[in-house]
Amino acid sequence: MRSVLAAIAATTLLAGGALAADDAARAQPQTPPQWTVGGFGTLGAVWHQEDDTQFRRSVDQRRGARANELDFGVDSALGLQVHGVLTPQWSVTAQAVMNQGRHGEWGPHLVWGFVKYLPNDWSEIRVGRLVTDIFIDGDSRHVGYAYTTVRPYTDVYGRLTYDGFDGIDASVQRPLGDGVLRFKVFGGRTRGSVYLNQNEHPMNLGRTFGATLDWIGPELSFKLSWGRMVTTRNDTNGDLRSALGDVAAMGAALNLPQLAAQASARAGEITASNRVGYLGAALAWERGPFSLQLMGTDMSMTAFPGFEGWGAGLTAAYRFGRWKPYVTYSRSVIDPNERRLDLPLERLPDLAVLSQVWGGLHDYTRHDQYTIGAGVRYDVTENVALKLQVDRIEAKRSSSLLDDKGFVPGMAAGPAGPFVEDASARSLTLFSASLDFVF
Amino acid sequence: MSARILLPAIFALLLSTQPVRAEVLVVIAHPDSPIGTLSREQATHLFLGRVKLLPSGARVKVVEVEPLRETFYRQLVRREIAEINAYWARLKFSGRTQPPHRVPDAAAAMALVASDPSAIAFVEGGSLDARARVLFRLDP
């Protein structure tokens, strides 16, 4: 961690010099093949006072910022890009990012690594390691310098962490009105995973596919998106299926037909497939110093017990000179599909463990959280920006925030089933400072 | 001078990012360039990296002039240069496209345009000579 921070700090200092060298290189007439090296980074610190609560910006981070600790691990990142233009039609790009990973490690991981072919000016094809852009600017979520706030909406972007894939995307565009209309399709093998309930849930065996439609005008831009991540080998609940099968057999043996039927039905619903679906819309408006961004998404997941949800975000900003104050609001809600399991605990107390597992299974993705924030971006130089931000996070239940159990449930199993609200809701005020740079 | 007059003046100076002198900037190309003229929309799409070819099929190499960038983008798209820099970082590090070539001054831009018929750049109107012709004029 210390070495990473030192690397980020050193890179910040070198960024200005590197930019000057880059400018000098760009000043020369260039003919292919032409190679450029660039990068970006964030030295970010967060702090809060909420005991037993860890804040993390996305569910692929294993560790979050703890109470009364100045944490540099949540937002800090360092990225390096190598880009080569081989011919006017062919180019290659590789981009690696060092940030806190799902295992708590800081090793670099390849975010982009593709070959691009431009057959003409209205289409392009990329093959290799790619990133979905389901959300507006979602394909640059690691690049703090590129966006206004300290971090993308945690409530929304923090849920989509398996946004990388190995595959292909193809886009076509044409002028429409006073703007440009662009349509893109993408597909490939999913990369990434999430960390929930002290378990990692990999998506590496799945497939990603989707499409986006953008219109980019002089002041107004909009984006519509649709995406799916599908895996047929996600059998993390296989043990539960077996246990339910045993309960069904027990119910039949004890002449409890209702229990046998219900347990058998629930066991049959636990399959190894998982389909994560997104449907999104976003709008960005910029006029002079004013800017406004609004996005919303519908989310669903079929992994047992199945989840449905939505997310939305809004950022309004006003720039004067180097200063850009802003306010932001986001919220996301994810609810599990209700799968009742009425266990006769009075008669069979040994099933209490299964009852707890059942409740936990519903809880660990359950999510209802909103964030309201205000901050300011100050562009120190052409390639360095300082941001200060305060967020108020209210979570009735959260899979982004962590506590010692690995997540903040906000719900618990009870006599009437697994959907009784308890007092685990959290709220915290988060203070953030970040130094973003590109070189 | 009273503080009532001085304070607003100092505040206005601190906030001001407008250049002292408004400059007439022109987008230029080689005299033999296949590009006839550019509309504001076409110039915007080209300088923001949205298109690299014109409807005629002509490939365009966009060139920025370092000391004129701030004025140029403010006049073309009414955005501060910090917004443009963030915009290019987003495009570059999402693998979409690379930022334009940049030259240190108008003389270098003129030389580049004179040697490359596919290049377009922006200079002050007073810097123009017979090696280039105007595609689009940005009124301040």
Side-chain angles (χ1 to χ4, degrees):
Chain A
M1 174 68 193
R2 186 174 296 174
S3 61
V4 171
L5 292 177
I8 291 173
T11 309
T12 308
L13 294 173
L14 289 171
L19 185 80
D22 192 40
D23 286 347
R26 279 189 283 175
Q28 302 301 317
Q30 295 166 335
T31 55
Q34 159 200 338
W35 294 90
T36 55
V37 178
F40 59 88
T42 297
L43 180 59
V46 298
W47 184 85
H48 69 85
Q49 285 184 296
E50 182 70 10
D51 291 334
D52 301 324
T53 302
Q54 297 181 49
F55 168 80
R56 52 182 182 162
R57 64 184 274 161
S58 68
V59 293
D60 60 358
Q61 293 183 329
R62 189 171 201 136
R63 186 188 188 282
R66 296 173 186 272
N68 300 309
E69 288 181 8
L70 193 62
D71 188 285
F72 291 92
V74 169
D75 290 319
S76 295
L78 184 64
L80 188 70
Q81 182 192 75
V82 178
H83 175 75
V85 178
L86 307 179
T87 72
Q89 285 77 36
W90 291 91
S91 63
V92 293
T93 300
Q95 185 169 306
V97 174
M98 290 172 68
N99 57 0
Q100 183 177 244
R102 62 188 68 95
H103 302 295
E105 84 289 357
W106 283 79
H109 56 277
L110 188 68
V111 176
W112 295 95
F114 61 83
V115 177
K116 181 160 78 174
Y117 176 59
L118 289 167
N120 45 55
D121 194 46
W122 52 269
S123 65
E124 73 172 41
I125 298 168
R126 302 188 296 185
V127 178
R129 174 69 54 85
L130 300 164
V131 178
T132 65
D133 60 346
I134 289 171
F135 300 145
I136 194 166
D137 303 333
D139 54 358
S140 53
R141 68 182 174 97
H142 299 292
V143 190
Y145 182 84
Y147 42 80
T148 301
T149 54
V150 166
R151 65 189 74 84
Y153 308 117
T154 300
D155 305 325
V156 184
Y157 289 67
R159 301 289 319 168
L160 179 68
T161 59
Y162 26 83
D163 54 353
F165 64 97
D166 292 340
I168 184 169
D169 67 19
S171 59
V172 294
Q173 69 174 40
R174 61 165 298 142
L176 181 66
D178 54 0
V180 174
L181 185 70
R182 183 167 55 211
F183 177 69
K184 182 165 85 172
V185 293
F186 56 87
R189 177 176 162 173
T190 314
R191 309 292 298 187
S193 63
V194 299
Y195 183 77
L196 291 168
N197 200 19
Q198 296 176 310
N199 284 303
E200 183 183 355
H201 299 267
M203 297 289 287
N204 287 352
L205 297 173
R207 300 183 307 279
T208 290
F209 51 92
T212 61
L213 182 69
D214 293 83
W215 184 80
I216 304 160
E219 295 180 346
L220 189 67
S221 303
F222 74 79
K223 181 185 202 74
L224 299 174
S225 57
W226 170 84
R228 287 282 183 275
M229 274 73 84
V230 179
T231 178
T232 55
R233 302 184 194 179
N234 181 8
D235 204 21
T236 52
N237 294 321
D239 290 343
L240 181 62
R241 182 175 57 236
S242 299
L244 287 168
D246 294 342
V247 170
M250 185 190 306
L254 296 176
N255 197 25
L256 296 171
Q258 187 177 353
L259 174 63
Q262 195 178 49
S264 180
R266 296 290 93 90
E269 291 165 352
I270 300 177
T271 65
S273 70
N274 183 20
R275 293 174 182 268
V276 181
Y278 290 87
L279 190 63
L283 182 146
W285 175 78
E286 292 182 79
R287 174 176 288 178
F290 294 99
S291 63
L292 182 70
Q293 187 188 85
L294 177 65
M295 59 87 69
T297 182
D298 177 82
M299 302 175 276
S300 64
M301 184 164 73
T302 64
F304 191 82
F307 297 86
E308 296 280 345
W310 59 270
L314 168 72
T315 300
Y318 183 90
R319 177 176 283 282
F320 51 98
R322 295 173 183 265
W323 297 91
K324 190 178 185 185
Y326 56 85
V327 292
T328 182
Y329 173 83
S330 61
R331 185 177 180 191
S332 63
V333 175
I334 296 175
D335 285 312
N337 297 329
E338 186 169 351
R339 310 276 188 183
R340 293 199 68 87
L341 182 63
D342 303 311
L343 297 172
L345 297 180
E346 300 82 8
R347 185 171 174 183
L348 300 169
D350 289 347
L351 295 181
V353 174
L354 177 60
S355 178
Q356 288 179 343
V357 170
W358 193 257
L361 184 66
H362 285 77
D363 277 344
Y364 83 109
T365 303
R366 187 191 296 270
H367 186 91
D368 185 352
Q369 176 176 313
Y370 75 82
T371 303
I372 185 165
V376 63
R377 170 181 173 137
Y378 177 75
D379 285 86
V380 182
T381 67
E382 181 185 328
N383 55 332
V384 178
L386 175 68
K387 299 172 190 170
L388 303 173
Q389 184 170 316
V390 181
D391 292 297
R392 181 67 182 171
I393 302 171
E394 299 279 351
K396 289 181 184 174
R397 62 240 189 193
S398 175
S399 49
S400 298
L401 303 178
L402 294 175
D403 65 8
D404 292 338
K405 301 172 197 168
F407 68 109
V408 176
M411 296 285 191
F419 306 108
V420 178
E421 193 158 2
D422 71 8
S424 298
R426 303 288 170 91
S427 62
L428 63 109
T429 301
L430 186 75
F431 298 90
S432 308
S434 70
L435 191 67
D436 298 305
F437 56 90
V438 293
F439 57 95
Chain B
M1 193 180 289
S2 72
R4 202 171 56 180
I5 298 173
L6 261 180
L7 285 177
I10 292 170
F11 191 61
L13 273 175
L14 285 173
L15 296 184
S16 173
T17 57
Q18 298 294 325
V20 174
R21 181 172 57 90
E23 299 153 331
V24 177
L25 297 179
V26 290
V27 176
I28 59 167
H30 191 281
D32 297 335
S33 168
I35 309 170
T37 58
L38 289 176
S39 67
R40 178 179 287 269
E41 287 167 14
Q42 287 174 317
T44 300
H45 291 330
L46 285 167
F47 279 92
L48 293 185
R50 294 171 187 159
V51 298
K52 296 190 185 306
L53 292 180
L54 291 175
S56 65
R59 181 169 290 277
V60 178
K61 181 158 105 183
V62 175
V63 178
E64 291 182 333
V65 181
E66 178 72 51
L68 302 178
R69 291 180 73 234
E70 188 168 345
T71 306
F72 177 73
Y73 286 108
R74 188 183 292 125
Q75 292 183 4
L76 182 67
V77 292
R78 297 181 179 84
R79 289 187 202 166
E80 294 293 330
I81 195 64
E83 293 295 315
I84 300 297
N85 294 335
Y87 169 85
W88 276 113
R90 186 158 60 244
L91 262 58
K92 176 178 180 176
F93 294 114
S94 60
R96 289 185 226 175
T97 187
Q98 295 289 312
H101 293 290
R102 200 180 296 179
V103 294
D105 52 38
M110 289 296 298
L112 186 55
V113 165
S115 65
D116 186 348
S118 70
I120 64 169
F122 48 83
V123 297
E124 292 174 87
S127 306
L128 196 62
D129 60 34
R131 293 177 295 168
R133 63 183 174 84
V134 175
L135 303 179
F136 175 65
R137 180 178 297 274
L138 269 171
D139 294 321

